[in-house]
Amino acid sequence: MTSDLLAGLEPPPPSRAGIGPGAVVLRGRALGLVPALLAAVERVAEAAPFRHMVTPGGFEMSVAMTNCGTAGWITDRAGYRYAAEDPMTGRPWPALPEVLRDLAHEAAEEAGYPGFDPDACLINRYEPGARLTLHQDRDERNRGHPIVSVSLGLPATFQFGGLKRTDPLLRVPLTHGDVVVWGGPSRLFHHGILPLKEGEHPELGARRLNLTLRRAL
Ligand code: MD6
Ligand code: FE
């Protein structure tokens, strides 16, 4: 049968796992789009290079970041915010690639959030040891919109808590091609990424990329 012939040649069909109220992991959802996604990230990074931003407290982030879309998330001594221009170049962020917009729209719909139209994509690059401390995503104007997050490259452990910083944390492994969609009652839940373990990914080397698509404005 066709399905037997194809077994081992194609990635398994995406499966889903709820990780909280309104939050779901679509496992492997982005696997069929990896070349297009990597090409898109490369084009963005040519115009808006990855850089280590500084927190309001004065610490350099271990995660390197860039953005595309009409708004980009930035941090510096003045605070966290969205900005229309890249402070490094003084120019608008590169446009949101269609492959990203379409993936976010479709994944959001599959997760129960139809009509998602992102205007911002934060691109995070992790090398072994890099981490993202527990935080809430609260710089967006309207938190009625979900967030779609795409993981590529080395696996990572995603911590997912609750509204209070001290709420218990779930540990969710995120691997190459996984897409997390998250909104509604858990939109403001605390979350973070544990220090990335050493490793070598066949396509990305010793790196993890995370693309989070949002409606910022
Ligand atoms: C990361 N992600 O996976 C960091 N935030 O590298 C996030 O901080 C995040 O994955 C909001 C919604 C989904 C996320
Ligand atoms: Fe976040």
Side-chain angles (χ1 to χ4, degrees), residues 175-201:
T175 61
H176 185 61
D178 286 349
V179 176
V180 182
V181 182
W182 149 358
S186 61
R187 177 62 180 73
L188 285 176
F189 278 18
H190 287 78
H191 57 279
I193 293 282
L194 291 179
L196 200 74
K197 294 207 174 106
E198 298 281 349
E200 192 70 19
H201 186 273

Side-chain angles (χ1 to χ4, degrees), residues 59-213:
F59 294 99
E60 185 176 279
M61 299 186 75
S62 59
V63 178
M65 298 179 169
T66 186
N67 289 279
C68 52
T70 53
W73 186 87
I74 61 171
T75 174
D76 57 21
R77 292 304 300 236
Y80 305 125
R81 62 199 180 278
Y82 282 92
E85 278 99 36
D86 177 353
M88 193 175 209
T89 64
R91 287 176 307 175
W93 298 102
L96 192 63
E98 204 160 332
V99 61
L100 281 176
R101 184 190 303 273
D102 291 350
L103 172 60
H105 182 91
E106 288 170 22
E109 183 160 281
E110 288 160 28
Y113 301 101
F116 180 52
D117 182 22
D119 60 5
C121 179
L122 170 65
I123 306 176
N124 296 147
R125 189 185 68 197
Y126 297 74
E127 281 162 17
R131 62 198 286 252
L132 200 60
T133 54
L134 213 59
H135 67 278
Q136 293 172 294
D137 286 22
R138 52 185 317 147
D139 301 314
E140 298 73 29
R141 198 172 283 166
N142 176 351
R143 285 102 173 233
H145 299 288
I147 294 180
V148 175
S149 160
V150 182
S151 293
L152 297 171
L154 286 179
T157 301
F158 186 59
Q159 296 178 299
F160 191 56
L163 282 179
K164 285 182 298 185
R165 198 178 180 79
T166 51
D167 283 335
L169 298 171
L170 197 69
R171 289 179 170 212
V172 183
L174 292 181
T175 61
H176 185 61
D178 286 349
V179 176
V180 182
V181 182
W182 149 358
S186 61
R187 177 62 180 73
L188 285 176
F189 278 18
H190 287 78
H191 57 279
I193 293 282
L194 291 179
L196 200 74
K197 294 207 174 106
E198 298 281 349
E200 192 70 19
H201 186 273
E203 287 165 77
L204 280 97
R207 283 187 306 170
R208 170 177 185 259
L209 291 175
N210 173 259
L211 289 57
T212 50
L213 290 123

